[in-house]
Short mmCIF file of all heavy atoms in Angstrom, two decimals:
data_model
loop_
_atom_site.label_atom_id
_atom_site.label_comp_id
_atom_site.label_asym_id
_atom_site.label_seq_id
_atom_site.Cartn_x
_atom_site.Cartn_y
_atom_site.Cartn_z
N ALA A 1380 56.70 -77.88 29.71
CA ALA A 1380 57.38 -76.60 29.57
C ALA A 1380 58.83 -76.73 30.01
O ALA A 1380 59.14 -77.46 30.96
CB ALA A 1380 56.67 -75.54 30.39
N LEU A 1530 54.10 -98.69 43.36
CA LEU A 1530 55.20 -98.32 42.47
C LEU A 1530 55.78 -96.98 42.89
O LEU A 1530 55.07 -95.97 42.95
CB LEU A 1530 54.68 -98.23 41.03
CG LEU A 1530 55.67 -97.78 39.96
CD1 LEU A 1530 56.63 -98.92 39.61
CD2 LEU A 1530 54.92 -97.32 38.70
N TYR A 1574 34.66 -101.20 37.99
CA TYR A 1574 34.33 -102.45 37.28
C TYR A 1574 33.01 -102.35 36.52
O TYR A 1574 32.82 -103.01 35.53
CB TYR A 1574 34.26 -103.60 38.27
CG TYR A 1574 35.58 -104.26 38.59
CD1 TYR A 1574 36.49 -103.64 39.44
CD2 TYR A 1574 35.92 -105.48 38.05
CE1 TYR A 1574 37.70 -104.23 39.74
CE2 TYR A 1574 37.12 -106.09 38.34
CZ TYR A 1574 38.02 -105.47 39.18
OH TYR A 1574 39.22 -106.06 39.47
N ASP A 1753 72.58 -106.97 32.21
CA ASP A 1753 71.24 -106.61 31.73
C ASP A 1753 70.76 -105.27 32.31
O ASP A 1753 69.62 -105.16 32.77
CB ASP A 1753 70.23 -107.71 32.05
CG ASP A 1753 70.12 -108.01 33.54
OD1 ASP A 1753 70.90 -107.43 34.33
OD2 ASP A 1753 69.26 -108.83 33.92
#
Side-chain angles (χ1 to χ4, degrees):
L1530 177 76
Y1574 274 76
D1753 59 355

